[in-house]
Amino acid sequence: MTTITLLGTGLLGAAIGQRLIDKGFTLTVWNRNPARCAALVQAGAKQLNHPKEGLEAASAVITVLRDGPVTAEVIGSLGSLTGRCILPMGTMGISESVALAEQVRLQGGSLLEAPVLGSRPEALKGSLLVMAGGAQDVFEAQLPLLRQLASEPRLMGAVGTGAAAKLALNQLIASLTHGYSLALRLVQASGLDVDRFMEVLRPSALYAPTVDKKLERMMSHQYDDPNFSTSLLRKDLQLFLREARLAGVNATALEGLASLLERADGTDLDAGDYSALHELTDGR
């Protein structure tokens, strides 16, 4: 059986790990907080005391870490990567991903950025959307692995294009959720029945399925058990703004939304589902 090393076992990482175990891979796992490896160990994974441990047995290393700097630090601790492919699946900046690819090259390995759209449910079903960035031959070599996590992994282009696609999509998550929250607030303030409003929205070109996914949470003000948290949404939006500035894109209109999300920092909203930003649009 093919051995894969998984570094990072948070919500998404743990689900990716479980999927690989279910599909017959031998899995070794590491997390800064060892307790977060417990479920995967119980499912059959081997826990590592250090990311470098047992690296010689792994054909590929998947990372699902918080951000680019953490990923670069952990990958740097692995030392020689000769014959190994690194697949970062967490969200990071375009410039960070390009720099990481060069770091991995100097360590003797190859890199295929593979950020994903989707969360725990999609990972467990193998229906994530994988947006790869890297060389064609590296992508083709990793296709058997990627097809266990996504039905149609896509090569977007060179390293950096996968990160660009992921940041663009996460910006849309933030903007769509914010826009819908504002619409819902005004609808309710006017006395218009929300169900009647939804009857107009659903068949229109303005409708997005995420609206119905988050409507119940917003109406009930319940944001527990998240697949993607408010803090991570804020982090990714700030990352989008940084990369937009580097690319010469005028994204100043998003700065207000980033400031709004800052108000969740240090509150219970931060650990909740990202639709908790609805609480921040209450002008009262």
Side-chain angles (χ1 to χ4, degrees):
M1 293 186 292
T2 302
T3 298
I4 303 297
T5 291
L6 173 66
L7 307 178
T9 57
L11 285 172
L12 179 59
I16 288 172
Q18 185 61 57
R19 172 70 178 179
L20 294 177
I21 291 172
D22 292 345
K23 300 306 289 186
F25 288 86
T26 299
L27 190 70
T28 58
V29 297
W30 174 87
N31 197 79
R32 286 183 186 271
N33 180 356
R36 301 200 75 173
C37 295
L40 288 175
V41 171
Q42 187 173 5
K46 177 185 177 182
Q47 186 165 355
L48 306 176
N49 295 314
H50 186 278
K52 187 177 181 178
E53 185 181 342
L55 185 63
E56 65 279 356
S59 61
V61 178
I62 293 175
T63 67
V64 195
L65 300 165
R66 180 174 177 85
D67 56 27
V70 170
T71 304
E73 176 191 348
V74 172
I75 294 301
S77 74
L78 300 180
S80 174
L81 294 173
T82 302
R84 304 290 176 272
C85 183
I86 306 298
L87 294 96
M89 291 189 165
T91 304
M92 66 178 70
I94 302 165
S95 53
E96 292 172 338
S97 190
V98 171
L100 181 62
E102 176 61 12
Q103 174 185 324
V104 169
R105 187 189 70 79
L106 292 174
Q107 288 179 242
S110 60
L111 180 136
L112 183 73
E113 59 177 2
V116 302
L117 189 66
S119 52
R120 181 174 176 80
E122 291 78 17
L124 292 172
K125 291 186 295 184
S127 60
L128 292 167
L129 294 175
V130 173
M131 300 157 280
Q136 181 74 37
D137 61 329
V138 177
F139 174 70
E140 291 176 357
Q142 298 305 320
L143 265 179
L145 171 60
L146 294 176
R147 283 181 175 144
Q148 304 306 316
L149 302 172
S151 58
E152 293 184 36
R154 289 174 169 82
L155 179 62
M156 311 305 288
V159 171
T161 58
K166 172 61 172 172
L167 284 178
L169 290 168
N170 278 20
Q171 182 274 133
L172 284 174
I173 292 173
S175 294
L176 283 169
T177 305
H178 182 230
Y180 182 62
S181 174
L182 293 176
L184 186 59
R185 289 285 184 196
L186 189 64
V187 163
Q188 291 178 301
S190 75
L192 172 59
D193 182 74
V194 172
D195 289 337
R196 183 156 294 182
F197 170 69
M198 291 302 298
E199 289 171 0
V200 175
L201 177 61
R202 287 191 184 101
S204 76
L206 301 173
Y207 177 72
T210 188
V211 167
D212 270 315
K213 287 183 178 181
K214 300 306 177 184
L215 176 59
E216 184 177 348
R217 284 188 179 273
M218 290 179 175
M219 294 294 288
S220 65
H221 306 281
Q222 297 297 316
Y223 308 107
D224 56 344
D225 194 25
N227 289 316
F228 187 54
S229 69
T230 306
S231 65
L232 288 176
L233 183 69
R234 181 177 64 250
K235 183 264 294 182
D236 289 352
L237 185 61
Q238 291 170 339
L239 192 52
F240 178 92
L241 284 168
R242 192 191 77 184
E243 292 294 332
R245 286 191 290 270
L246 291 174
V249 175
N250 184 351
T252 53
L254 286 175
E255 291 175 1
L257 176 53
S259 296
L260 187 70
L261 286 166
E262 285 287 349
R263 291 170 52 193
D265 193 10
T267 74
D268 291 341
L269 300 179
D270 230 20
D273 183 86
Y274 66 84
S275 57
L277 76 80
H278 183 57
E279 301 305 306
L280 305 174
T281 59
D282 185 350
R284 297 170 297 180

